[in-house]
């Protein structure tokens, strides 16, 4: 497993903190979410696991379980979770041979992961797995049960396609990547990719529209 190329690793001072230091930093990020890379750092902390000491510690639980009590940060995190769009138009270009590859992680999986993270926080959940987060964050005005179920099913389909692709690469003596050569997969897999991206994009549009018109207390 390669190290993060952006330096988000426990060996750097910014990511090597005690529980108290994490809690103090997280409180500052919520209070002022537009400074000091607060949104990015919050997302990293929410996905983090302890690497030393008490592995049961969950620093995020002390602050982000009550994120909904901070409307400004709450709304900004929702907006941030919808920034990475499912790339349905790019996928059409690929399938029609105007392009040759598709990044299954960046253009399909990351949008689901981002939505799941926010949805779980909206319900005060500290779950870490994407499917568990979708289950915990469903049945809300912004992410109803049917949308969460669609994303969970699509996530499973995409992860299977990703795994099959990476296993095939390794069997061929190559390193695993998230870049799929469209001509190398079956018509069924191409169809599943296209439909998955359509479903993700539809959920993103609906969430964005509802967030525009609903008051934060209704989320």
């Amino acid at each position: 497993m390669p190290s993060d190329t952006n330096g988000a690793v426990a060996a750097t001072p910014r990511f090597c903190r005690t529980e108290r230091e994490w809690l103090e930093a997280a409180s500052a990020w919520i209070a002022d979410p537009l400074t000091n890379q607060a949104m990015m750092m919050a997302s990293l902390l929410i996905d983090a696991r302890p690497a030393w000491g008490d592995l049961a510690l969950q620093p995020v639980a002390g602050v982000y379980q009550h994120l909904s009590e901070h409307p400004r940060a709450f709304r900004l995190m929702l907006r941030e979770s919808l920034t990475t769009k499912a790339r349905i138009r790019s996928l059409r270009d690929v399938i029609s041979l105007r392009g040759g590859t598709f990044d299954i992680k960046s253009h399909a999986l990351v949008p689901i992961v981002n939505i799941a993270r926010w949805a779980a926080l909206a319900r005060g959940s500290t779950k870490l797995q994407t499917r568990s987060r979708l289950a915990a964050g469903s049945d809300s005005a912004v992410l109803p049960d049917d949308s969460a179920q669609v994303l969970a099913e699509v996530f499973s389909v995409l992860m299977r396609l990703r795994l099959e692709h990476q296993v095939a690469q390794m069997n061929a003596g190559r390193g695993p990547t998230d870049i799929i050569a469209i001509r190398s997969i079956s018509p069924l897999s191409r169809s599943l990719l296209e439909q998955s991206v359509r479903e993700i994009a539809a959920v993103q549009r609906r969430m964005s529209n509802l967030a525009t018109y609903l008051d934060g207390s209704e989320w």
Side-chain angles (χ1 to χ4, degrees), residues 35 39 51 57 61 100 107-108 129 131 174 178 188 216-217:
T35 62
M39 300 298 291
L57 287 176
H107 296 165
Q129 300 296 329
R131 295 183 189 87
R174 301 192 301 272
D178 293 309
L188 175 58
S217 61

Side-chain angles (χ1 to χ4, degrees), residues 2 7-8 15 23 43 56 72 80-81 91 105 156 167:
F15 295 95
L23 292 175
S43 295
R72 182 165 176 255
E80 182 74 13
S81 73
L91 183 55
K105 179 180 179 181
S156 295
V167 168

Side-chain angles (χ1 to χ4, degrees), residues 45-82:
L45 173 58
I46 292 163
D47 287 343
R49 283 84 161 168
W52 183 259
D54 184 356
L55 301 184
L57 287 176
Q58 288 186 302
V60 65
V63 178
Y64 289 100
Q65 276 187 313
H66 305 289
L67 179 63
S68 59
E69 299 175 7
H70 303 270
R72 182 165 176 255
F74 194 44
R75 185 177 291 274
L76 285 171
M77 289 196 74
L78 173 58
R79 185 184 302 170
E80 182 74 13
S81 73
L82 297 174

Side-chain angles (χ1 to χ4, degrees), residues 96-161:
S96 63
L97 303 183
R98 289 194 292 271
T101 60
F102 179 70
D103 189 328
I104 193 170
K105 179 180 179 181
S106 296
H107 296 165
L109 288 168
V110 167
I112 300 178
V113 170
N114 289 346
I115 290 173
R117 182 191 300 118
W118 179 87
L121 286 175
R123 290 307 182 89
S125 172
T126 58
K127 298 289 186 181
L128 291 172
Q129 300 296 329
T130 296
R131 295 183 189 87
S132 298
R133 283 175 165 177
L134 288 170
S138 63
D139 191 24
S140 70
V142 177
L143 186 68
D145 280 338
D146 57 347
S147 293
Q149 182 62 34
V150 165
L151 291 181
E153 292 173 357
V154 167
F155 186 78
S156 295
V157 169
L158 292 171
M159 287 298 290
R160 188 183 74 245
L161 292 173

Side-chain angles (χ1 to χ4, degrees), residues 91 95 185-197:
L91 183 55
I95 292 174
I185 63 177
S186 68
L188 175 58
S189 294
R190 273 178 263 171
S191 177
L192 287 172
L193 274 177
E194 182 178 31
Q195 185 59 35
S196 295
V197 175

Side-chain angles (χ1 to χ4, degrees), residues 151-184:
L151 291 181
E153 292 173 357
V154 167
F155 186 78
S156 295
V157 169
L158 292 171
M159 287 298 290
R160 188 183 74 245
L161 292 173
R162 182 192 192 196
L163 183 60
E164 290 173 351
H165 164 66
Q166 293 183 342
V167 168
Q169 287 181 310
M170 294 176 71
N171 286 339
R174 301 192 301 272
T177 71
D178 293 309
I179 308 300
I180 296 177
I182 296 302
R183 291 186 179 183
S184 70

